[in-house]
Each structure stands twice: as C-alpha cells, then as structure tokens.
Amino acid sequence: MKNLCKASILVILTLMYFVSCTGKKNSSSSVKNTELKIGTSQEFETLNPLIMTMSQTTYMYHMTGRKLVHMDPDTKWYPQLAKEIPTIENGKAKFITVGGKKKIIAEWEILENAKWGDGVPVTCHDFAMARTIALSPNVSIADKESYDMIEKIDIDSKNPKKCSFTYKKARWDFNRHGTFYPVPKHLEDEPFKKFNAQKEGYEKNSTYSKAPTNPGLYNGPYLISEIKLSDHVTFIPNPHFYGEKPKIQKVIIKLIPNTAALEANLRSGTVDMISTLGLSFDQAVEFDKKINAEKLPYLVTFTKGITYEHIDFNLDHPFFKDGRVRRAMIQALDRESLTKSLFEGKQESAIHFVSPKDPWFTRDEKYVIGAKFSKRDAEKLLAEAGWKKGEDGYLYKDNKKFSVNFGTTAGNKIRELVQVYLQDQWKQVGIEVNIKNEPARVFFGETTKKRKFDLAMYAWVSSPENIPRSTFHSTSIPSTKNGYSGQNQPGWNNPKVDKLIEDLEIEFDSKKRTDLAWELQKVYTEEAPVIPLYYRSDVSAVPPNLKNYRPSGHQFHETGKIEEWTLE
Amino acid sequence: MSTYILRRLIQTVLVIIILSYVCFYIMTLMPGDPVELMIQSNPKITSADVERLRALYGLDQPAYKRYGTWVNTILGGDLGYSRTYRVPVEELMIPRLKNTFILSLLSLLLSLAIALPLGIYSALNPGGRFDSIVNFFAFSGISIPSFWMALMLIIVFAVQLGVLPAGGTETVGLNSENFFNFVKDRGTYLILPILSLSVQQIGSFIRYARSAMMETLRNDYIRTAKAKGLERKVIIWRHAFRNALIPLITILALSFSGLFSGALLTETVFAYQGVGKLVYDSIIANDYNVAMISFIISVSMVLLMNLLADILYGFADPRITFS
C-alpha cells in the first residue's frame, strides 16, 4: 500500500517537474520575419502535384511549386514560369487545321532563371515529363484533362526553354494551365520508367514519396525541410528561386484537426495564424467578436469566394416538374435577411451560380429573372400551378399535400441553421418541408449521387469563368451509364443549355463569350433548376503585423504569392 | 498449458481471418468510395476518369476478389499503400502506433497507480468520509466527457497559464541529440493528453477495485483469516487482494488490448500524432489498406490479451486449470 502511494506521488512529482520546466510561450510572429506558424484543420498528403487531391496539399504546393500561369486574388491570370501568356492576339498562338479539325498551336517560353531547388534549370522537358506521366494508364491522376488537352509538345532542340504546345481542340481557355504542374525530369524520369508497368507503381516510388525533402522537386519560393504527414510541414527559402526572395525565413504548416483546439492553439501562441483552410465560418464570426471584446492581437479576414451554397431540386420529382413551382419556392425565400441574420452580412446572398467575383457575373434584370423575394408573387405562382391552401394552411393539389423532404450533411451547424430558417419561410406559403439529414458520406456517396432526394443543400466548388459542363450539361446527369460521375444532380436536361455550354467552350471573342455566359444565367434563373442561397466567404485569422497577405477566395490559393508576405 | 496456448493461438488466427473478411465486406457496403471523394473535390473529373480510376483501384471487382488481392499483398510482406496520404501503410502507421502506445500506456499506468490504492483504501473503509470523497471524484471522472476535459485543460494550462503546449506531439524542428532533452520535450506534450485520458480511467478503475475488494472482503475465508488472528496486512494482500485480482485482470486485459487502438477524441483535440484519428479518417475516406491493418492490430490485441488474461487467472487462482 505504501509502495503504491509512493509510486503515485512520484508520478505526480514528475508531472509537476515537466510543468515547471516549461515557460509561457510567446507568439513568434512578433519576431520580424523569423518564423510563421500557420494552423490548419485540413489533412494533407504527399506533395506530388500530379496525384494530389486535397485542398490543403494544393495550398502548400503553391508555396513550393510554380506553373506556367496562375490566377491572382482579382481573378486575373498572370504568367509564373512562362515569360508571357501566348494568345491569338499577341501572335504567340495560332489556329491550325489538321485533317479538317481546327486546333491551336502556342509558343511557350520559360523564364531564363527558373530553376529547381537543386539548381537544375526548369525546361520544357519537365512539362513533357509531367504530361507523359499523367497520361499513363497506371497513374491515378484525377484530372487528366489538364494534360490530355495537349496533343503534343515540341521542344526547341537548341533551347529547351522554348516549346510549342499543340492543343487537340481550339478552346478559348487553352492557355489557362492552372492545373498543369511540371515535374523535374532529372528526378522523376527514372522511377517512372522503372515502375510505370505496375499499377500505381510510379506514385508509390516517385521521389515525392521516397524523398519528399529533396530540393530538386520544388521550383517555388520555398523548399520543404521536414514533412510529417498528418502533423506538420516545415518550409525554408529556396536559394534558386527565380523571383522575389521570400521574406519569412521559416514557415510551418501545422495540422490541428479540431477547430476549437485550433483557436486555442492560436491564442496560446502555438500557431501564429489560421489559414483559409482552418476555421469554420461561424467560428470565425465568433472569434472576430472575441478579438474586439478581449483586444486580442489578431485580425479575422472575410474574403468573398467563388463557392456557392445552393439547394438542388430533383427535377424528376412530380411537384418540381412545373417551373412555376420552382420559381415560387425561390421567391418565397428572403435570402437577404437570411444572410444578414445568420452571417451578419459577411456572406452575400446568391442570385445565380456565378459569383460577384467572377468576370461573368451580372445583376442585370434582363438576365436575372425573378430572384427577388416576394411572398405574394410566390403564392400567385403556386396558385397558377394549381396548388390550393387547405384548412391546415398547407397547399394541396389532386388531394396531395405539398410536402417534400429536405436533406443536407448532418452535423454541419450552419447548414442546419439555414434549413430551419428556410423551412419556416416555406411554411408561410403553405409548403411543408421535412428535414432529413444524413452523414456527409451517405449524403454525397448515395443520396445526391444517385439522385434519391427531393431537395438537397450543399455547395458547388468552382473557379472564375468556369464553364458549368459538369453541373448543367445533360451528359453530366449522374446515372449508371456514366458511373454516377456527373454533378448535374438536379437532372437538368435542356438542349439550349447544352448548346450554350458547347458554344462557350469554343467562343474566342471575349465579349461574345460574356454574352453567352449571361444568356446561361438567364436560362438558369428562368428555369430555376436550383435555388441559389449564398456565396461562401473564406475566413482566416492573422497577426496584424503580417503584410501583403491577400486571401484569394478561389482554388488558386494566396500562397501563390507567399514570397511577398512579411511580418513587420 | 502449452497445448492450451497453442490451441488458443490457432483459434485466434482463424478468428482474425474470418473477422477480417467480414470487416472488408462491410466496408465495401458503405456508400461512396475513394473515387467519390475525388469527384467531390474536383468538378473537372469526367466519367472516363471515374471509370479509369475505379479500374485502377480495383473497385470494379467484387468484394471477395478485392479481399483476395489484399490478402496476397499482405502475405507478400507488403502492408499496402494509403490512397489518402499516398505513402506505404507501414511508413504511416508505425510511428503513430508507437505514439499511441506511449500515450495509452503512460495514461494506463498513471490511472492504475492512482486508482488501485484509492479503490482498495475505500473498500477497507466503506461509507467513511474518505470513501465518499473518492466516490464523488470517481463518478465525476467517469461522467466528464473527454473532449470537454481536453478543451478545459488546453484553456487552463496553454491559453491562461501558458505553461504547457496546446497540442502536438513534439516541438517542430527540434532535432535534439540529447536524450534527456528529447524525453523532456515529448513529456511536455504528453502531460495534457495523459491527464485528459486518465481522468475517466481513474474513475472507472477506482470503482472496479473498490467493488472487487469489497466483494472479496465479505467472503467466509476472510472471516476465518481474521478469526485465526492473522495480521491485517496479510489478510488484505495475501487473501483479499489476490482473490480480487480475477475481475481486475479482466478489466486490465481489456484496457491493455486498447493500447494500439488509439484515443480518437483526445488525439484529435490535442493534434497528437496517434493512430486513433488515422483509423477514423481511413474508414471515412475508404482507405482500405490503412483501415484493415488497424483492424487486424485491434482484433489481435483483444484476442491476445484475453488469452493472457486466461493464463493469468490460473496464477491468481490455483483452482483454475488449463486441461
């Protein structure tokens, strides 16, 4: 008994010793440009750009890798590794006809001083290598189109920094190689040749997997000095970087999966900032209030994004086949007051699928039909469609009550709040909405994929000037035939929309292209296959002395210009 | 006894094989697959891409064929490849298993070191002031949700007092060659997770130890021992405690079987590099290779610890034979 008591006392004393050994930690962000620790709540994988799929990995890749072109926070494309972006207008690209098919050939030239982290120059061979690997049937690349759109790459025999890309199809966005990542031929050629015959052989044996801290894998402002999956990655400046030298001497990305713990880590100084892939929106709003109340040394940024939250109608549902019913359900919703009351105006209500950040956005009433809240108009449309109010206050038609199921991802606090808000507004016009939520895995893996819903609320991730083929084209309606691959979950089948999408892809005149995009917005708002709710904002928490930090709000993260960040 | 152990080991292997297939099959029944996750994060994926990726991953094959392929890979000495993290499974799991083992073992030892004396002392003085206080804390420990406890510990020790790190496994970039410094650094990061895990364990161990001792102390042989005039120390430790060990061995064996399973909530809140969250994520993301290896480890540990418990029963109570 005495021995056990002694052991307990010993354990407690050891704990007290460890506590006494540690002192209060100070946030290193106060020290000018020495170190920046960025907290995130999202997982990451190895940084092989050809096979990476996670947003956090892309966020980090933009710190270490550069491509031909990139998009800035104002949604403008600019050259990174390329000297300039070839266009028809500047004469660096031209149309050719081969076998009666219209194609494009473009001249690309890589910056003279662009080098990999081991000092080897970046050349067109590295782009050709990436394309060869990506097109291999044994490599599990998700987005093959970025590489497959190029028919061939001809490299100048005298200057490997110059090459011409021949594109299979004459598309106006041929030069927007935002997801065409080069890989160092001098490191990746050997594992590819050796292991390509095996399924997934290359990715298991690539230098990115076997020696991820090899400086030759990266050509961006930073190199990776340490990587621990599911924990942290440490970045140090790349001495061979072609551009402006990065100011911050060490950047650490630290994964803290629990968002409440992430905030506590920020406040305790374990991390200096929280990236746009960290806090949830509601948490950021609360933290912003705490900053003001407790005078905490942080700023919360809210950046308008491209992603938009919406509700899909299942257009095969008998109630939703009538366009008047769909429009009435939209007009019955006061989305302005929803965003004001739930998001304090920090997320904007949506009027269609194009974000205000997108050059194709329009508010013109000529193209945006019936988006305004009007309970009276909604009731009128429902009455025209044959729905009459019963004694219980709900609508009936042919003895059927207007009662539908409304699903989203269970456990998502914001979505669940929005659901209750909308349920109440629809009830006021006589529509009964039954909330039926499911875990994300079931909701996306079964319900929306197989279109087993009445109303489904979720978000569409997009990019500026994105042609919505995967979400609106009739060939993208998920079915057994296409392996449930499309994202046209409402089942919108409109030949006019299909034609507009196809025309958009090949329209080279910018003005005409915008007209087509506006026309698409008009058909969308007229037919209302989807209820647009709000455009999401990206949130981050940063120290006030971090300068030149501009969150992008789209998939091309702000780390694309991390060399400009400075702690003053 | 060796025949008994051999027979039990053969049974263990058979159970692992059967359960591994059942687990694999159930995972294939879950909605979604790894390609599904790619589709959600990349709207540019075409139906041709989906078909190609499903064929590449073997997802177009029936479950029994996929299981056969997995078993063949395992028997070839390769634990497989994580499709989530894009690294071999052993590279991903071994460091985490070590971390989880350290966290779970230390927390278990701390819990036992505190709970056993308290439980036994309470049983010796039932209904007294000390017993009431111990019971109050034991029930409090059992009732407090571990994630709430973890967050409170972070707020007090990391945010308010600033004496301990809020989360992590070790100081980033610390490449200390001094063993003492290394242990000190790791120890600093372990204090809060251990405390968080132990609070609940201490509560339940106190209750088990107390009730097992009280049950034993009511037996006739204890009364006989007292009537014979044996020393109190001998009665407690040789007669009462030894007989109270049987239920305690069962509880301990089950606790030890969880040493490699991980503590999902604690590891997640403290961003501790353990296996608990990895297993959870691998199941959610359909990362079959990682999930299956974790499953095999968990099942093996439960079965082996039960076998160990059965053997220990024999030592604790000579009336138990293995014939």
Side-chain angles (χ1 to χ4, degrees):
Chain A
M1 186 75 184
K2 275 182 185 170
N3 289 340
L4 282 172
C5 287
K6 278 180 192 168
S8 311
I9 293 165
L10 190 71
V11 171
I12 292 164
L13 286 175
T14 313
L15 288 176
M16 286 169 71
Y17 168 74
F18 278 118
V19 172
S20 63
C21 281
T22 54
K24 188 165 172 111
K25 288 171 171 57
N26 290 315
S27 169
S28 63
S29 62
S30 56
V31 183
K32 195 184 172 192
N33 286 331
T34 315
E35 186 179 273
L36 180 68
K37 284 172 287 187
I38 307 173
T40 176
S41 60
Q42 293 195 18
E43 285 280 0
F44 52 89
E45 66 220 292
T46 53
L47 268 80
N48 186 333
L50 299 180
I51 54 168
M52 65 186 180
T53 51
M54 297 181 184
S55 295
Q56 183 57 50
T57 317
T58 317
Y59 183 91
M60 295 195 295
Y61 181 81
H62 288 155
M63 297 164 69
T64 60
R66 293 290 145 101
K67 308 157 290 175
L68 289 170
V69 294
H70 194 73
M71 184 185 278
D72 70 12
D74 300 319
T75 71
K76 298 274 185 299
W77 288 93
Y78 68 96
Q80 276 190 328
L81 288 171
K83 274 190 177 169
E84 65 178 320
I85 301 176
T87 60
I88 302 291
E89 293 76 32
N90 69 15
K92 296 278 179 186
K94 61 182 179 196
F95 294 108
I96 53 166
T97 308
V98 182
K101 214 175 161 193
K102 198 176 173 188
K103 296 179 180 181
I104 286 179
I105 189 162
E107 302 298 327
W108 289 92
E109 190 174 352
I110 295 159
L111 293 171
E112 275 309 315
N113 53 351
K115 287 176 183 168
W116 295 98
D118 54 4
V120 175
V122 178
T123 67
C124 289
H125 289 293
D126 301 317
F127 288 91
M129 181 80 232
R131 183 176 167 273
T132 308
I133 295 172
L135 297 186
S136 161
N138 284 335
V139 177
S140 65
I141 179 168
D143 171 22
K144 213 169 190 169
E145 173 65 13
S146 297
Y147 303 88
D148 201 29
M149 64 188 278
I150 301 161
E151 193 173 78
K152 60 174 179 165
I153 298 177
D154 293 311
I155 302 168
D156 189 329
S157 55
K158 287 176 191 157
N159 181 1
K161 293 247 177 200
K162 284 184 178 177
C163 48
S164 61
F165 288 10
T166 306
Y167 295 89
K168 283 181 183 171
K169 261 174 94 175
R171 286 175 59 131
W172 63 272
D173 56 354
F174 70 94
N175 52 12
R176 297 187 172 184
H177 288 302
T179 49
F180 183 176
Y181 304 97
V183 293
K185 191 181 180 205
H186 63 288
L187 295 177
E188 292 299 87
D189 196 28
E190 195 193 325
F192 179 68
K193 279 183 180 154
K194 204 168 161 187
F195 297 102
N196 182 40
Q198 303 165 16
K199 270 188 180 182
E200 300 176 84
Y202 159 72
E203 53 224 70
K204 289 176 188 171
N205 295 285
S206 91
T207 319
Y208 289 100
S209 301
K210 296 285 177 191
T213 56
N214 187 325
L217 293 170
Y218 311 107
N219 59 39
Y222 284 94
L223 302 174
I224 291 177
S225 66
E226 192 190 8
I227 178 163
K228 271 201 179 174
L229 289 174
S230 251
D231 191 64
H232 72 271
V233 183
T234 308
F235 300 86
I236 51 168
N238 175 4
H240 295 286
F241 180 53
Y242 63 87
E244 190 181 329
K245 298 290 166 208
K247 317 278 180 306
I248 302 169
Q249 292 312 298
K250 194 196 233 181
V251 179
I252 296 165
I253 304 265
K254 174 95 183 121
L255 171 70
I256 296 152
N258 182 289
T259 52
L262 182 59
E263 188 187 313
N265 273 263
L266 179 71
R267 296 183 64 167
S268 70
T270 309
V271 295
D272 304 315
M273 66 174 270
I274 297 174
S275 78
T276 43
L277 302 171
L279 299 172
S280 59
F281 180 81
D282 53 334
Q283 205 187 352
V285 171
E286 283 307 309
F287 188 53
D288 194 31
K289 286 178 191 162
K290 282 185 212 165
I291 288 173
N292 293 328
E294 299 174 37
K295 306 268 180 284
L296 297 173
Y298 303 105
L299 295 172
V300 175
T301 64
F302 295 89
T303 312
K304 283 178 184 171
I306 296 290
T307 304
Y308 93 114
E309 196 77 20
H310 66 278
I311 301 167
D312 282 356
F313 287 110
N314 186 339
L315 298 177
D316 289 344
H317 191 287
F319 295 177
F320 301 141
K321 285 194 170 162
D322 190 330
R324 290 170 297 187
V325 172
R326 300 195 300 268
R327 279 204 306 281
M329 283 188 76
I330 294 177
Q331 291 200 267
L333 301 179
D334 187 355
R335 286 164 290 176
E336 281 293 326
S337 78
L338 180 141
T339 51
K340 271 182 195 144
S341 55
L342 294 186
F343 310 136
E344 300 183 7
K346 288 181 167 110
Q347 293 197 124
E348 195 175 333
S349 61
I351 48 173
H352 46 60
F353 64 97
V354 180
S355 150
K357 205 165 177 147
D358 194 315
W360 286 350
F361 176 84
T362 180
R363 279 187 204 279
D364 190 338
E365 287 188 3
K366 215 169 108 192
Y367 299 101
V368 183
I369 316 288
K372 279 182 188 156
F373 165 61
S374 168
K375 203 177 137 193
R376 188 187 293 171
D377 287 353
E379 282 172 333
K380 201 173 145 196
L381 279 167
L382 287 164
E384 276 174 25
W387 290 93
K388 291 192 174 77
K389 273 205 178 161
E391 284 174 1
D392 56 0
Y394 287 109
L395 294 168
Y396 287 85
K397 183 180 171 185
D398 303 332
N399 289 328
K400 276 188 187 162
K401 188 179 181 182
F402 199 141
S403 176
V404 286
N405 289 331
F406 181 18
T408 189
T409 48
N412 185 315
K413 199 174 142 193
I414 295 177
R415 283 185 180 151
E416 286 172 349
L417 275 173
V418 171
Q419 263 185 326
V420 176
Y421 196 94
L422 301 182
Q423 189 184 35
D424 179 60
Q425 293 204 320
W426 278 323
K427 192 181 173 186
Q428 289 177 31
V429 291
I431 297 170
E432 184 183 58
V433 165
N434 310 303
I435 291 173
K436 194 183 161 208
N437 295 342
E438 293 164 327
R441 186 173 169 142
V442 180
F443 184 71
F444 292 119
E446 190 68 20
T447 307
T448 55
K449 181 174 106 173
K450 295 187 178 167
R451 306 186 55 232
K452 294 176 182 171
F453 61 89
D454 298 342
L455 293 167
M457 177 164 67
Y458 58 102
W460 266 330
V461 179
S462 182
S463 55
E465 293 181 290
N466 176 53
I467 298 166
R469 178 177 272 276
S470 69
T471 45
F472 295 152
H473 199 278
S474 61
T475 55
S476 299
I477 299 172
S479 65
T480 42
K481 269 186 190 171
N482 59 19
Y484 298 105
S485 63
Q487 288 188 306
N488 185 350
Q489 266 98 3
W492 198 18
N493 188 344
N494 184 327
K496 191 179 175 187
V497 172
D498 289 356
K499 177 83 173 47
L500 281 167
I501 289 170
E502 284 151 20
D503 290 349
L504 252 175
E505 287 173 344
I506 51 168
E507 180 54 67
F508 277 79
D509 185 310
S510 167
K511 171 77 184 67
K512 284 182 186 167
R513 213 161 49 230
T514 305
D515 289 344
L516 287 170
W518 287 358
E519 191 59 31
L520 197 53
Q521 287 165 51
K522 186 181 171 191
V523 184
Y524 172 98
T525 48
E526 260 175 354
E527 289 221 353
V530 172
I531 304 173
L533 286 176
Y534 56 90
Y535 305 108
R536 279 207 206 153
S537 288
D538 280 357
V539 294
S540 62
V542 297
N545 60 336
L546 178 66
K547 305 294 174 196
N548 303 329
Y549 169 78
R550 276 192 73 198
S552 68
H554 52 69
Q555 72 193 88
F556 298 101
H557 301 286
E558 50 279 11
T559 41
K561 286 200 172 180
I562 192 169
E563 64 272 29
E564 294 176 5
W565 296 9
T566 179
L567 291 161
E568 287 174 352
Chain B
M1 191 162 87
S2 54
T3 316
Y4 172 77
I5 294 173
L6 188 68
R7 200 175 67 229
R8 286 287 302 269
L9 283 174
I10 293 169
Q11 283 173 356
T12 303
V13 173
L14 279 174
V15 171
I16 290 172
I17 293 171
I18 295 167
L19 283 180
S20 70
Y21 181 70
V22 171
C23 180
F24 192 92
Y25 185 69
I26 289 172
M27 278 181 70
T28 61
L29 294 181
M30 286 162 71
D33 58 40
V35 180
E36 205 68 54
L37 297 171
M38 289 183 176
I39 297 169
Q40 281 164 33
S41 60
N42 191 340
K44 284 171 83 179
I45 290 184
T46 62
S47 49
D49 287 328
V50 172
E51 210 174 306
R52 172 178 54 82
L53 288 167
R54 288 210 167 115
L56 190 66
Y57 292 165
L59 299 170
D60 54 348
Q61 301 290 314
Y64 72 90
K65 276 194 180 172
R66 284 158 61 189
Y67 178 75
T69 313
W70 178 75
V71 171
N72 272 339
T73 320
I74 297 292
L75 293 178
D78 179 4
L79 295 187
Y81 176 70
S82 162
R83 294 226 167 80
T84 307
Y85 298 97
R86 314 274 181 178
V87 286
V89 172
E90 61 267 29
E91 203 178 295
L92 195 64
M93 286 200 78
I94 290 170
R96 284 153 203 263
L97 283 169
K98 279 187 201 162
N99 289 340
T100 291
F101 179 75
I102 293 169
L103 172 65
S104 307
L105 184 69
L106 288 176
S107 123
L108 188 59
L109 292 178
L110 177 72
S111 309
L112 289 173
I114 294 172
L116 284 184
L118 292 179
I120 292 168
Y121 194 74
S122 287
L124 295 176
N125 305 285
R129 189 182 292 172
F130 181 81
D131 184 39
S132 305
I133 294 169
V134 167
N135 274 334
F136 172 76
F137 282 106
F139 283 118
S140 306
I142 296 167
S143 321
I144 293 172
S146 59
F147 69 92
W148 182 84
M149 181 71 188
L151 283 173
M152 289 305 111
L153 288 170
I154 291 176
I155 289 168
V156 173
F157 290 99
V159 180
Q160 302 296 336
L161 300 176
V163 290
L164 287 171
T169 312
E170 60 190 6
T171 304
V172 174
L174 181 86
N175 291 315
S176 177
E177 287 180 8
N178 181 324
F179 180 71
F180 178 74
N181 285 342
F182 170 75
V183 172
K184 197 177 101 180
D185 184 64
R186 289 295 297 266
T188 311
Y189 283 87
L190 275 166
I191 293 172
L192 294 184
I194 287 175
L195 281 179
S196 161
L197 266 183
S198 301
V199 167
Q200 220 163 24
Q201 280 182 330
I202 290 169
S204 45
F205 286 159
I206 285 176
R207 296 296 304 159
Y208 283 124
R210 184 181 176 273
S211 63
M213 271 303 273
M214 281 182 72
E215 187 71 30
T216 317
L217 287 168
R218 278 191 217 116
N219 282 316
D220 291 343
Y221 54 81
I222 299 292
R223 201 180 310 125
T224 310
K226 280 179 187 170
K228 278 166 71 183
L230 289 179
E231 266 184 70
R232 184 177 152 86
K233 202 164 80 178
V234 175
I235 295 170
I236 293 169
W237 295 110
R238 194 178 294 169
H239 295 276
F241 184 66
R242 188 163 176 185
N243 281 290
L245 269 178
I246 293 194
L248 288 177
I249 286 172
T250 313
I251 302 301
L252 284 180
L254 286 175
S255 304
F256 271 95
S257 66
L259 286 184
F260 288 106
S261 307
L264 172 65
L265 287 174
T266 310
E267 288 175 6
T268 306
V269 174
F270 289 107
Y272 186 80
Q273 276 258 290
V275 84
K277 189 169 181 299
L278 178 72
V279 174
Y280 173 78
D281 287 342
S282 64
I283 293 168
I284 292 296
N286 262 326
D287 199 349
Y288 294 103
N289 292 330
V290 179
M292 286 303 291
I293 296 297
S294 336
F295 172 76
I296 298 286
I297 292 170
S298 298
V299 170
S300 309
M301 282 298 288
V302 171
L303 295 172
L304 290 173
M305 284 299 148
N306 271 300
L307 173 61
L308 185 69
D310 286 348
I311 294 166
L312 288 175
Y313 291 155
F315 287 103
D317 186 348
R319 289 171 300 181
I320 297 171
T321 62
F322 298 104
S323 56

